PDB file of all heavy atoms in Angstrom:
ATOM      1  N   ARG A 922     -49.099   8.008 -42.377  1.00 88.00           N
ATOM      2  CA  ARG A 922     -49.874   9.256 -42.350  1.00 88.00           C
ATOM      3  C   ARG A 922     -50.248   9.635 -40.919  1.00 88.00           C
ATOM      4  O   ARG A 922     -50.168  10.801 -40.527  1.00 88.00           O
ATOM      5  CB  ARG A 922     -51.154   9.128 -43.186  1.00 88.00           C
ATOM      6  CG  ARG A 922     -50.967   8.794 -44.630  1.00 88.00           C
ATOM      7  CD  ARG A 922     -50.249   9.865 -45.412  1.00 88.00           C
ATOM      8  NE  ARG A 922     -50.991  11.116 -45.481  1.00 88.00           N
ATOM      9  CZ  ARG A 922     -50.585  12.172 -46.180  1.00 88.00           C
ATOM     10  NH1 ARG A 922     -49.446  12.119 -46.831  1.00 88.00           N
ATOM     11  NH2 ARG A 922     -51.298  13.270 -46.208  1.00 88.00           N
ATOM     12  N   ILE A 923     -50.679   8.651 -40.135  1.00 92.00           N
ATOM     13  CA  ILE A 923     -51.112   8.980 -38.783  1.00 92.00           C
ATOM     14  C   ILE A 923     -49.931   9.403 -37.921  1.00 92.00           C
ATOM     15  O   ILE A 923     -50.068  10.271 -37.042  1.00 92.00           O
ATOM     16  CB  ILE A 923     -51.905   7.814 -38.148  1.00 92.00           C
ATOM     17  CG1 ILE A 923     -52.828   8.353 -37.047  1.00 92.00           C
ATOM     18  CG2 ILE A 923     -50.985   6.733 -37.587  1.00 92.00           C
ATOM     19  CD1 ILE A 923     -53.917   7.412 -36.639  1.00 92.00           C
ATOM     20  N   GLU A 924     -48.761   8.840 -38.177  1.00 95.00           N
ATOM     21  CA  GLU A 924     -47.572   9.295 -37.451  1.00 95.00           C
ATOM     22  C   GLU A 924     -47.253  10.745 -37.802  1.00 95.00           C
ATOM     23  O   GLU A 924     -46.856  11.538 -36.935  1.00 95.00           O
ATOM     24  CB  GLU A 924     -46.389   8.386 -37.782  1.00 95.00           C
ATOM     25  CG  GLU A 924     -46.502   6.999 -37.162  1.00 95.00           C
ATOM     26  CD  GLU A 924     -45.424   6.054 -37.637  1.00 95.00           C
ATOM     27  OE1 GLU A 924     -44.551   6.489 -38.436  1.00 95.00           O
ATOM     28  OE2 GLU A 924     -45.441   4.881 -37.221  1.00 95.00           O
ATOM     29  N   TRP A 925     -47.438  11.096 -39.073  1.00 95.00           N
ATOM     30  CA  TRP A 925     -47.220  12.479 -39.494  1.00 95.00           C
ATOM     31  C   TRP A 925     -48.227  13.417 -38.832  1.00 95.00           C
ATOM     32  O   TRP A 925     -47.870  14.475 -38.311  1.00 95.00           O
ATOM     33  CB  TRP A 925     -47.313  12.567 -41.014  1.00 95.00           C
ATOM     34  CG  TRP A 925     -47.071  13.955 -41.556  1.00 95.00           C
ATOM     35  CD1 TRP A 925     -46.047  14.797 -41.221  1.00 95.00           C
ATOM     36  CD2 TRP A 925     -47.858  14.635 -42.537  1.00 95.00           C
ATOM     37  NE1 TRP A 925     -46.158  15.978 -41.931  1.00 95.00           N
ATOM     38  CE2 TRP A 925     -47.245  15.896 -42.749  1.00 95.00           C
ATOM     39  CE3 TRP A 925     -49.000  14.297 -43.253  1.00 95.00           C
ATOM     40  CZ2 TRP A 925     -47.770  16.828 -43.653  1.00 95.00           C
ATOM     41  CZ3 TRP A 925     -49.514  15.218 -44.166  1.00 95.00           C
ATOM     42  CH2 TRP A 925     -48.901  16.466 -44.347  1.00 95.00           C
ATOM     43  N   VAL A 926     -49.494  13.013 -38.828  1.00 96.00           N
ATOM     44  CA  VAL A 926     -50.535  13.834 -38.202  1.00 96.00           C
ATOM     45  C   VAL A 926     -50.253  14.026 -36.711  1.00 96.00           C
ATOM     46  O   VAL A 926     -50.386  15.125 -36.165  1.00 96.00           O
ATOM     47  CB  VAL A 926     -51.926  13.208 -38.426  1.00 96.00           C
ATOM     48  CG1 VAL A 926     -52.977  13.873 -37.532  1.00 96.00           C
ATOM     49  CG2 VAL A 926     -52.331  13.329 -39.893  1.00 96.00           C
ATOM     50  N   HIS A 927     -49.828  12.959 -36.042  1.00 96.00           N
ATOM     51  CA  HIS A 927     -49.499  13.076 -34.620  1.00 96.00           C
ATOM     52  C   HIS A 927     -48.300  13.986 -34.387  1.00 96.00           C
ATOM     53  O   HIS A 927     -48.214  14.672 -33.359  1.00 96.00           O
ATOM     54  CB  HIS A 927     -49.207  11.690 -34.031  1.00 96.00           C
ATOM     55  CG  HIS A 927     -50.441  10.865 -33.822  1.00 96.00           C
ATOM     56  ND1 HIS A 927     -50.419   9.484 -33.809  1.00 96.00           N
ATOM     57  CD2 HIS A 927     -51.739  11.218 -33.627  1.00 96.00           C
ATOM     58  CE1 HIS A 927     -51.637   9.035 -33.606  1.00 96.00           C
ATOM     59  NE2 HIS A 927     -52.460  10.058 -33.497  1.00 96.00           N
ATOM     60  N   SER A 928     -47.367  14.014 -35.344  1.00 96.00           N
ATOM     61  CA  SER A 928     -46.229  14.927 -35.202  1.00 96.00           C
ATOM     62  C   SER A 928     -46.657  16.382 -35.359  1.00 96.00           C
ATOM     63  O   SER A 928     -46.072  17.283 -34.744  1.00 96.00           O
ATOM     64  CB  SER A 928     -45.140  14.579 -36.214  1.00 96.00           C
ATOM     65  OG  SER A 928     -45.503  14.970 -37.531  1.00 96.00           O
ATOM     66  N   LEU A 929     -47.675  16.611 -36.183  1.00 97.00           N
ATOM     67  CA  LEU A 929     -48.196  17.966 -36.367  1.00 97.00           C
ATOM     68  C   LEU A 929     -49.047  18.400 -35.182  1.00 97.00           C
ATOM     69  O   LEU A 929     -48.977  19.557 -34.736  1.00 97.00           O
ATOM     70  CB  LEU A 929     -49.040  18.040 -37.649  1.00 97.00           C
ATOM     71  CG  LEU A 929     -48.314  17.801 -38.972  1.00 97.00           C
ATOM     72  CD1 LEU A 929     -49.315  17.683 -40.112  1.00 97.00           C
ATOM     73  CD2 LEU A 929     -47.315  18.916 -39.252  1.00 97.00           C
ATOM     74  N   PHE A 930     -49.851  17.473 -34.677  1.00 96.00           N
ATOM     75  CA  PHE A 930     -50.775  17.749 -33.569  1.00 96.00           C
ATOM     76  C   PHE A 930     -50.573  16.692 -32.482  1.00 96.00           C
ATOM     77  O   PHE A 930     -51.340  15.721 -32.400  1.00 96.00           O
ATOM     78  CB  PHE A 930     -52.227  17.724 -34.047  1.00 96.00           C
ATOM     79  CG  PHE A 930     -52.570  18.716 -35.119  1.00 96.00           C
ATOM     80  CD1 PHE A 930     -52.927  18.290 -36.394  1.00 96.00           C
ATOM     81  CD2 PHE A 930     -52.539  20.085 -34.858  1.00 96.00           C
ATOM     82  CE1 PHE A 930     -53.266  19.205 -37.378  1.00 96.00           C
ATOM     83  CE2 PHE A 930     -52.867  21.009 -35.841  1.00 96.00           C
ATOM     84  CZ  PHE A 930     -53.227  20.569 -37.105  1.00 96.00           C
ATOM     85  N   PRO A 931     -49.574  16.823 -31.632  1.00 96.00           N
ATOM     86  CA  PRO A 931     -49.319  15.807 -30.595  1.00 96.00           C
ATOM     87  C   PRO A 931     -50.511  15.562 -29.677  1.00 96.00           C
ATOM     88  O   PRO A 931     -50.658  14.456 -29.138  1.00 96.00           O
ATOM     89  CB  PRO A 931     -48.131  16.396 -29.825  1.00 96.00           C
ATOM     90  CG  PRO A 931     -47.443  17.300 -30.796  1.00 96.00           C
ATOM     91  CD  PRO A 931     -48.533  17.884 -31.633  1.00 96.00           C
ATOM     92  N   ILE A 932     -51.375  16.546 -29.510  1.00 95.00           N
ATOM     93  CA  ILE A 932     -52.536  16.378 -28.623  1.00 95.00           C
ATOM     94  C   ILE A 932     -53.448  15.263 -29.124  1.00 95.00           C
ATOM     95  O   ILE A 932     -54.140  14.609 -28.334  1.00 95.00           O
ATOM     96  CB  ILE A 932     -53.319  17.711 -28.497  1.00 95.00           C
ATOM     97  CG1 ILE A 932     -54.334  17.643 -27.366  1.00 95.00           C
ATOM     98  CG2 ILE A 932     -54.015  18.070 -29.807  1.00 95.00           C
ATOM     99  CD1 ILE A 932     -53.728  17.579 -26.003  1.00 95.00           C
ATOM    100  N   LEU A 933     -53.443  15.012 -30.435  1.00 96.00           N
ATOM    101  CA  LEU A 933     -54.298  13.954 -30.973  1.00 96.00           C
ATOM    102  C   LEU A 933     -53.800  12.571 -30.564  1.00 96.00           C
ATOM    103  O   LEU A 933     -54.591  11.628 -30.457  1.00 96.00           O
ATOM    104  CB  LEU A 933     -54.385  14.062 -32.495  1.00 96.00           C
ATOM    105  CG  LEU A 933     -54.999  15.362 -33.033  1.00 96.00           C
ATOM    106  CD1 LEU A 933     -55.069  15.327 -34.552  1.00 96.00           C
ATOM    107  CD2 LEU A 933     -56.378  15.625 -32.431  1.00 96.00           C
ATOM    108  N   TRP A 934     -52.512  12.432 -30.352  1.00 96.00           N
ATOM    109  CA  TRP A 934     -51.988  11.176 -29.796  1.00 96.00           C
ATOM    110  C   TRP A 934     -52.413  11.032 -28.346  1.00 96.00           C
ATOM    111  O   TRP A 934     -52.866   9.967 -27.918  1.00 96.00           O
ATOM    112  CB  TRP A 934     -50.476  11.138 -29.923  1.00 96.00           C
ATOM    113  CG  TRP A 934     -49.830  10.035 -29.114  1.00 96.00           C
ATOM    114  CD1 TRP A 934     -49.170  10.152 -27.929  1.00 96.00           C
ATOM    115  CD2 TRP A 934     -49.835   8.641 -29.424  1.00 96.00           C
ATOM    116  NE1 TRP A 934     -48.729   8.936 -27.485  1.00 96.00           N
ATOM    117  CE2 TRP A 934     -49.129   7.979 -28.382  1.00 96.00           C
ATOM    118  CE3 TRP A 934     -50.343   7.888 -30.481  1.00 96.00           C
ATOM    119  CZ2 TRP A 934     -48.937   6.603 -28.379  1.00 96.00           C
ATOM    120  CZ3 TRP A 934     -50.158   6.509 -30.468  1.00 96.00           C
ATOM    121  CH2 TRP A 934     -49.460   5.879 -29.429  1.00 96.00           C
ATOM    122  N   ASP A 935     -52.296  12.118 -27.581  1.00 95.00           N
ATOM    123  CA  ASP A 935     -52.683  12.078 -26.169  1.00 95.00           C
ATOM    124  C   ASP A 935     -54.170  11.764 -26.009  1.00 95.00           C
ATOM    125  O   ASP A 935     -54.568  11.119 -25.049  1.00 95.00           O
ATOM    126  CB  ASP A 935     -52.374  13.416 -25.502  1.00 95.00           C
ATOM    127  CG  ASP A 935     -50.889  13.747 -25.505  1.00 95.00           C
ATOM    128  OD1 ASP A 935     -50.073  12.814 -25.615  1.00 95.00           O
ATOM    129  OD2 ASP A 935     -50.548  14.944 -25.415  1.00 95.00           O
ATOM    130  N   ARG A 936     -54.978  12.212 -26.959  1.00 94.00           N
ATOM    131  CA  ARG A 936     -56.436  12.062 -26.867  1.00 94.00           C
ATOM    132  C   ARG A 936     -56.956  10.905 -27.732  1.00 94.00           C
ATOM    133  O   ARG A 936     -58.156  10.800 -27.957  1.00 94.00           O
ATOM    134  CB  ARG A 936     -57.118  13.352 -27.335  1.00 94.00           C
ATOM    135  CG  ARG A 936     -56.760  14.603 -26.547  1.00 94.00           C
ATOM    136  CD  ARG A 936     -57.589  14.710 -25.281  1.00 94.00           C
ATOM    137  NE  ARG A 936     -57.517  16.058 -24.731  1.00 94.00           N
ATOM    138  CZ  ARG A 936     -56.606  16.480 -23.870  1.00 94.00           C
ATOM    139  NH1 ARG A 936     -55.670  15.636 -23.470  1.00 94.00           N
ATOM    140  NH2 ARG A 936     -56.612  17.720 -23.417  1.00 94.00           N
ATOM    141  N   ARG A 937     -56.112  10.039 -28.210  1.00 94.00           N
ATOM    142  CA  ARG A 937     -56.483   9.066 -29.237  1.00 94.00           C
ATOM    143  C   ARG A 937     -57.651   8.176 -28.850  1.00 94.00           C
ATOM    144  O   ARG A 937     -58.428   7.754 -29.713  1.00 94.00           O
ATOM    145  CB  ARG A 937     -55.274   8.209 -29.624  1.00 94.00           C
ATOM    146  CG  ARG A 937     -54.687   7.388 -28.491  1.00 94.00           C
ATOM    147  CD  ARG A 937     -53.344   6.784 -28.896  1.00 94.00           C
ATOM    148  NE  ARG A 937     -52.749   5.963 -27.852  1.00 94.00           N
ATOM    149  CZ  ARG A 937     -52.064   6.456 -26.818  1.00 94.00           C
ATOM    150  NH1 ARG A 937     -51.914   7.760 -26.689  1.00 94.00           N
ATOM    151  NH2 ARG A 937     -51.546   5.651 -25.906  1.00 94.00           N
ATOM    152  N   ASN A 938     -57.811   7.874 -27.559  1.00 96.00           N
ATOM    153  CA  ASN A 938     -58.902   7.001 -27.115  1.00 96.00           C
ATOM    154  C   ASN A 938     -60.082   7.775 -26.544  1.00 96.00           C
ATOM    155  O   ASN A 938     -61.028   7.172 -26.039  1.00 96.00           O
ATOM    156  CB  ASN A 938     -58.383   6.005 -26.077  1.00 96.00           C
ATOM    157  CG  ASN A 938     -57.342   5.060 -26.659  1.00 96.00           C
ATOM    158  OD1 ASN A 938     -57.510   4.564 -27.772  1.00 96.00           O
ATOM    159  ND2 ASN A 938     -56.261   4.817 -25.928  1.00 96.00           N
ATOM    160  N   GLN A 939     -60.031   9.091 -26.642  1.00 96.00           N
ATOM    161  CA  GLN A 939     -61.095   9.942 -26.112  1.00 96.00           C
ATOM    162  C   GLN A 939     -62.178  10.138 -27.161  1.00 96.00           C
ATOM    163  O   GLN A 939     -61.901  10.202 -28.358  1.00 96.00           O
ATOM    164  CB  GLN A 939     -60.503  11.302 -25.720  1.00 96.00           C
ATOM    165  CG  GLN A 939     -61.477  12.259 -25.063  1.00 96.00           C
ATOM    166  CD  GLN A 939     -60.750  13.505 -24.552  1.00 96.00           C
ATOM    167  OE1 GLN A 939     -59.576  13.435 -24.184  1.00 96.00           O
ATOM    168  NE2 GLN A 939     -61.441  14.626 -24.521  1.00 96.00           N
TER     169      GLN A 939
END
Side-chain angles (χ1 to χ4, degrees):
R922 301 295 296 184
I923 204 163
E924 288 173 2
W925 181 48
V926 168
H927 285 154
S928 74
L929 296 171
F930 300 114
I932 192 68
L933 298 182
W934 167 257
D935 297 337
R936 300 277 196 271
R937 61 191 181 279
N938 296 317
Q939 184 173 330

